[in-house]
Each structure stands twice: as C-alpha cells, then as structure tokens.
Amino acid sequence: MSMDAYEYEDGSISYPGHPRSRGGAEPVGTIDLSEYTGEVVTWTTSTATPPGVREPNTLAIVEFDVEGESVRALGQVTTDEIKTGDEVEPVYVEELREPGAGIREPESQDWDGYRFQPL
C-alpha cells in the first residue's frame, strides 16, 4: 500500500489528493509519501477518542519536502514521545482502529493506513 499525494500541473502537491489544486490545476500523477521522511510541525494527544481508536491517541502534522515542494499530512504517531521538529517516517499498519467498534459495517471501509514513527 502506498501513501499517495497528488502532483498537479502547476507543480503543487496535495495530501490527500483532490480533483483540483488550490490554483485549479489538474492532477498529473501521484507521489508515494511513504518513501520520504518528514518533520513534525505540531502534535497533540487526544484523550477522548472515537470508538475503536486507541486512547490516548497522539496525532501529528508532518511536513514533507518533495523536490522543493512542501506537503503536509495529518496522522497518528507510533509513540507518545514526540516533539516539534522530530524527523519521522511513515510506517504501514493494518488497523488504525478496531473495525468492529464503530457503527459502520467493517467491510464498508478500509482500516489500514500509515502512522508516523520518529527516526
């Protein structure tokens, strides 16, 4: 599985991808952010999480530099020991939350994704 950001005609990059860039450009390809390292811009710990999400749940906004273009992603962190400025890498996990705990049918959506792990 990849962590796909969209690259647009105007050179901008977006994660998650959108049909148009902020400037109205169309996507021309994807970039797998799981192949890059990023820097923690900010982070927080949620102690009141939705059903099936670990508690507490530490989240970070991470900035990636992709060929001179900046792209940010929000995601869970693998540890509570995180601080602004830390270098992190995306790591794949099969379940970001417990599929049977919510109100949705488990088969109705994907439960896997990426967490950020400090280097």
Side-chain angles (χ1 to χ4, degrees):
M1 171 163 190
S2 58
M3 186 178 172
D4 288 338
Y6 283 20
E7 185 174 22
Y8 300 93
E9 295 171 332
D10 61 6
S12 63
I13 301 170
S14 171
Y15 180 84
H18 299 281
R20 299 269 184 198
S21 73
R22 288 186 202 177
E26 293 189 13
V28 293
T30 59
I31 296 167
D32 185 0
L33 293 178
S34 70
E35 297 175 2
Y36 292 82
T37 60
E39 181 179 316
V40 174
V41 175
T42 190
W43 60 273
T44 189
T45 299
S46 172
T47 56
T49 62
V53 175
R54 66 188 180 169
E55 190 178 322
N57 187 31
T58 300
L59 304 165
I61 295 176
V62 173
E63 185 171 60
F64 295 89
D65 180 353
V66 180
E67 299 174 21
E69 274 297 311
S70 172
V71 61
R72 291 183 176 185
L74 169 67
Q76 295 179 351
V77 182
T78 60
T79 178
D80 294 337
E81 301 298 318
I82 194 79
K83 61 186 183 299
T84 300
D86 281 353
E87 189 174 2
V88 295
E89 66 180 348
V91 293
Y92 177 77
V93 292
E94 289 187 17
E95 288 184 357
L96 292 173
R97 64 188 298 174
E98 200 278 301
I103 60 173
R104 293 186 177 181
E105 290 295 321
E107 297 78 29
S108 71
Q109 64 185 32
D110 295 329
W111 302 96
D112 62 341
Y114 285 86
R115 286 189 177 131
F116 299 118
Q117 178 173 300
L119 294 175

